[in-house]
Amino acid sequence: MRVARLFRFPVKGFPAEELTEARVIKDRGIRGDRIAAFTNGSLDVPADAWHSYSAFTVLKNDTDLQKWQVAATLPEAVDAESVPGPDPDGRSAPAEAADDDSATVTLTAPTGESTCFSTDDEKGRAASASFLSERIPPQGTFPRCLAVADQGMFDSQRSGISLINPATVAAIADTDEGRAALGLSAEATSPTVADSADASVQDDPATPAAELDPLRFRGNILVDGLAPFEEFALIGSIIRLGGVRLAIRSTIERCPATTVNPTTTEVDVNVPRLLNSACGHLHCGIYGQILETGDVAAGDEITVEGPAPRELVKVARTPRFMTVVGRRQICNDIVEVALRDDLGWIREFDEPGTNLRVHLDLGAPFWRTYTITDVDDDIVRIAVRTQGKGSRAMASLEEGQRVLTSGPHGTMTASRVFGGTTALITAGIGITPSLGLLRSDGLADLPATERIRLFHVDRDHRTACLWNRLQDRAHSGRVPVETHHRDTATAGRPGHRELVDWVAGCDNVMVCGPRDFTAAVLAAADEAGVPAVHQETFASPNTGMSEAIAACSPAEVTLENSGTSFVWEPKEGTLLESLEARGFCSPSSCRGGSCGTCSVPLAAGSVLYPIEPAARVENDEVLVCSAVPAGPISLAL
């Protein structure tokens, strides 16, 4: 693997400059990268200190920034031999940091007018800030300025370098969802990986706009020589590129800035939604913390030196590789697969009822969601029914193979589902959420539960092994348990009155199974007056986000605080898109159910998540960027 292309972004949120080589400075980043940022007026920000991105004009909030041009001139770099050693707290010596204090930056507006400032000239920065203020709309009333700091205006105060794998971008573009988003036919293919990393292709005005350009991910380095998504295997490692050492500490979650085409400067592809639908996560690229100052150039080899200190790696639910450590057939067509979380992150977030997403390469990105049925230290177990290409591929993995995963995800946890009299009603392989909820390590912590009712429906006892295991688990606790099994081959499917009788008197009902079965249980619970109903929806990559929404029914949405209501239609998309189309400004960021920024109080009714979000919210909240109404709802807006 090698460095294919190299970039810096002199002013945060504005376009990049391409470089052939660069000095990379510990605690700073690439020399000249994010050396200034233009405030947006939402906060009173000091002009000489780092601040979080929310205070600045950035691409995801003002997509017209891509139409500007940026050029930076830096003084000659200080030779490494002449740089004093680190100060007592371990930061790089100020002599090297001083290089960027006198950088000169030229910003050219789409109209051709330009302004120039030196980062160490306060009056010059103020004049350029006035120039920008006349051309870039504010987001508040505070005075605006061009802020600089001694570490660079990165999103994180821990400065670093971002790396993008063009092979991953090409693979995303070549999914059914990617081709649809790019306006390509099913037979068309996206540009090759080599094309994606080749500067001549990007600079050719004849290149069609219908491609997913890696530059829209705003990385410092494009990497060549990795298979799609293989960069995620570098998480937790120390790598060397040229004379620079990095600790790869995290993946990069993508925001609406990636919707902007860097060539046409138009907003053309909803990349967060594309990632969420095609890949089952919002991540593209990796982020490295600089351990050692040095130089890097296009063409430099990238090597892995070994594991990074654990304290440098960001523990998260994000994509990382797990290793298959066991596989056994437990009954009929059901295989239990054991995976070791090589980074040990699972135990930081584990709780009964969560699930694991498995991200496979089956000629194109493909993902499935599986309930976590057991966790033992770093070992995760899932039950896989060998139906469909994804599950067959998962069940056929050999010990020692590595598979990309993320999670644990899910909000239907034991702490939310149980209470009073609780019924778990399942059909077929939908029994696995009940197994996850009644894991042995959680039975002692069921919240105020007086009785558990287990109802399971299958045909010819195909899931008998799981049903037997579920009963054993339930009866091993202190809460009284009722169990009911129905074989549809001999007794037929339960009718409406039977379902109403099953849920009568329950305080909580959880249902998981085929769509028709779930709908029947929901109708019965509504008639029986069950106070809280929880439904597990396993998102499937066989149905894209748009197709899943299109299958929903129109519903009335009431906005309590404003006293208005409207009828949501599937063609409008998510609740957030529907609100925005009507002029309601609801805060949002990732637009893919990961960050939680768009959370809104749900005053009445219930919602569906066509693709279950990763962010956790309270029971009476809804992530409007990912949700659609399940019926009439009221939002506290």
Side-chain angles (χ1 to χ4, degrees):
M1 96 184 127
R2 66 179 182 88
V3 176
R5 300 175 70 184
L6 188 63
F7 300 88
R8 70 181 176 203
F9 298 80
V11 181
K12 184 179 184 67
F14 285 75
E17 283 188 305
E18 185 162 5
L19 308 171
T20 57
E21 59 183 356
R23 165 63 58 94
V24 179
I25 305 171
K26 182 180 178 182
D27 298 324
R28 289 295 304 262
I30 289 179
R31 191 164 174 264
D33 193 31
R34 276 87 170 183
I35 51 178
F38 181 48
T39 60
N40 58 25
S42 63
L43 296 170
D44 188 11
V45 178
D48 58 355
W50 179 90
H51 200 283
S52 66
Y53 77 88
S54 60
F56 299 113
T57 301
V58 292
L59 189 59
K60 74 175 182 178
N61 293 329
D62 189 340
T63 56
D64 283 343
L65 294 182
Q66 188 63 41
K67 298 177 181 178
W68 288 66
Q69 296 178 27
V70 186
T73 303
L74 278 64
E76 186 175 349
V78 178
D79 291 337
E81 290 80 4
S82 65
V83 178
D87 61 22
D89 67 2
R91 294 181 64 88
S92 298
E96 193 155 20
D99 285 349
D100 289 349
D101 289 343
S102 57
T104 301
V105 179
T106 301
L107 289 164
T108 303
T111 58
E113 303 163 290
S114 63
T115 184
C116 182
F117 66 91
S118 293
T119 53
D120 63 347
D121 178 1
E122 187 175 348
K123 289 185 179 179
R125 295 203 319 267
S128 289
S130 296
F131 175 90
L132 295 175
S133 296
E134 294 171 358
R135 293 160 176 81
I136 299 175
Q139 294 174 292
T141 58
F142 286 98
R144 303 171 78 181
C145 68
L146 275 162
V148 297
D150 64 357
Q151 67 146 91
M153 296 305 219
F154 299 90
D155 284 352
S156 168
Q157 198 162 7
R158 187 178 294 187
S159 308
I161 290 179
S162 56
L163 295 86
I164 303 298
N165 180 6
T168 295
V169 179
I172 295 167
D174 205 30
T175 61
D176 290 343
E177 296 90 341
R179 288 191 292 272
L182 292 166
L184 300 173
S185 66
E187 293 76 21
T189 58
S190 60
T192 65
V193 173
D195 287 343
S196 298
D198 188 338
S200 64
V201 171
Q202 302 300 336
D203 295 336
D204 182 359
T207 300
E211 65 172 290
L212 203 60
D213 191 333
L215 300 189
R216 74 168 68 217
F217 295 93
R218 299 175 64 81
N220 293 121
I221 292 175
L222 298 189
V223 179
D224 190 23
L226 289 175
F229 303 99
E230 193 177 356
E231 65 273 23
F232 293 147
L234 298 175
I235 303 296
S237 299
I238 292 176
I239 66 171
R240 178 177 288 277
L241 51 166
V244 181
R245 294 175 74 238
L246 297 178
I248 304 301
R249 64 183 308 265
S250 67
T251 59
I252 303 174
E253 184 178 290
R254 291 304 166 182
C255 70
T258 56
T259 64
V260 182
N261 187 317
T263 301
T264 67
T265 72
E266 299 298 324
V267 175
D268 57 1
V269 177
N270 187 337
V271 171
R273 175 181 283 192
L274 170 57
L275 283 168
N276 206 18
S277 181
C279 302
H281 59 74
L282 290 174
H283 299 260
C284 184
I286 53 178
Y287 198 72
Q289 181 176 340
I290 303 160
L291 302 180
E292 186 177 300
T293 295
D295 297 314
V296 64
D300 279 350
E301 185 181 4
I302 302 175
T303 57
V304 178
E305 293 191 347
R310 188 174 178 85
E311 63 270 17
L312 297 183
V313 182
K314 182 180 179 180
V315 178
R317 306 173 195 268
T318 51
R320 74 273 188 191
F321 280 87
M322 292 188 182
T323 301
V324 179
V325 294
R327 185 191 67 177
R328 67 188 183 101
Q329 186 164 350
I330 53 178
C331 67
N332 297 323
D333 57 352
I334 299 173
V335 174
E336 184 177 71
V337 179
L339 302 163
R340 182 183 65 241
D341 189 342
D342 297 323
L343 292 173
W345 293 355
I346 192 73
R347 57 178 177 264
E348 300 290 336
F349 306 102
D350 174 50
E351 57 181 312
T354 53
N355 53 63
L356 188 73
R357 288 184 187 172
V358 176
H359 312 275
L360 303 168
D361 182 0
L362 303 180
F366 189 95
W367 60 279
R368 296 294 286 176
T369 301
Y370 299 99
T371 298
I372 297 172
T373 56
D374 281 295
V375 173
D376 182 11
D377 197 15
D378 295 334
I379 306 299
V380 182
R381 289 180 172 82
I382 58 176
V384 179
R385 190 170 194 174
T386 55
Q387 294 183 354
K389 64 178 182 179
S391 291
R392 286 195 298 269
M394 189 66 204
S396 64
L397 292 174
E398 299 291 342
E399 288 191 30
Q401 285 188 264
R402 304 187 78 201
V403 61
L404 188 63
T405 66
S406 65
H409 298 301
T411 57
M412 201 178 70
T413 57
S415 61
R416 297 186 176 202
V417 169
F418 286 101
T421 297
T422 301
L424 308 181
I425 304 178
T426 57
I429 196 62
I431 194 174
T432 56
S434 293
L435 280 167
L437 288 165
L438 288 174
R439 281 168 29 191
S440 57
D441 57 349
L443 286 174
D445 300 321
L446 296 182
T449 303
E450 299 167 1
R451 180 174 294 275
I452 297 173
R453 297 178 180 175
L454 302 178
F455 298 90
H456 183 57
V457 176
D458 67 2
R459 185 175 182 82
D460 296 325
H461 295 276
R462 292 174 182 169
T463 53
C465 58
L466 301 181
W467 173 241
N468 293 336
R469 184 185 295 187
L470 178 62
Q471 292 180 90
D472 291 342
R473 289 187 178 186
H475 286 297
S476 67
R478 297 191 299 267
V479 179
V481 178
E482 301 174 20
T483 61
H484 305 272
H485 176 268
R486 188 183 188 102
D487 183 356
T488 59
T490 57
R493 297 181 180 180
H496 177 71
R497 292 314 315 168
E498 288 178 282
L499 294 174
V500 172
D501 291 340
W502 285 4
V503 301
C506 289
D507 301 289
N508 286 275
V509 167
M510 186 284 292
V511 57
C512 185
R515 180 177 303 209
D516 291 347
F517 176 80
T518 299
V521 174
L522 293 177
D526 181 62
E527 181 172 325
V530 177
V533 180
H534 317 268
Q535 57 177 310
E536 179 69 281
T537 302
F538 282 133
S540 169
N542 295 322
T543 303
M545 182 82 164
S546 299
E547 290 81 359
I549 293 175
C552 297
S553 301
E556 184 176 16
V557 177
T558 299
L559 308 181
E560 286 197 340
N561 296 350
S562 61
T564 61
S565 64
F566 61 88
V567 176
W568 172 86
E569 298 280 351
K571 63 183 180 182
E572 298 171 3
T574 64
L575 277 169
L576 177 61
E577 292 168 325
S578 181
L579 290 167
E580 289 175 337
R582 291 174 169 83
F584 293 96
C585 295
S586 184
S588 66
S589 181
C590 73
R591 303 182 77 90
S594 183
C595 69
T597 303
C598 70
S599 174
V600 169
L602 180 64
S606 61
V607 298
L608 294 174
Y609 292 106
I611 296 179
E612 187 176 10
R616 303 297 182 90
V617 293
E618 298 299 323
N619 287 337
D620 59 352
E621 294 179 328
V622 57
L623 296 171
V624 293
C625 77
S626 303
V628 297
I633 62 170
S634 293
L635 302 175
L637 285 175

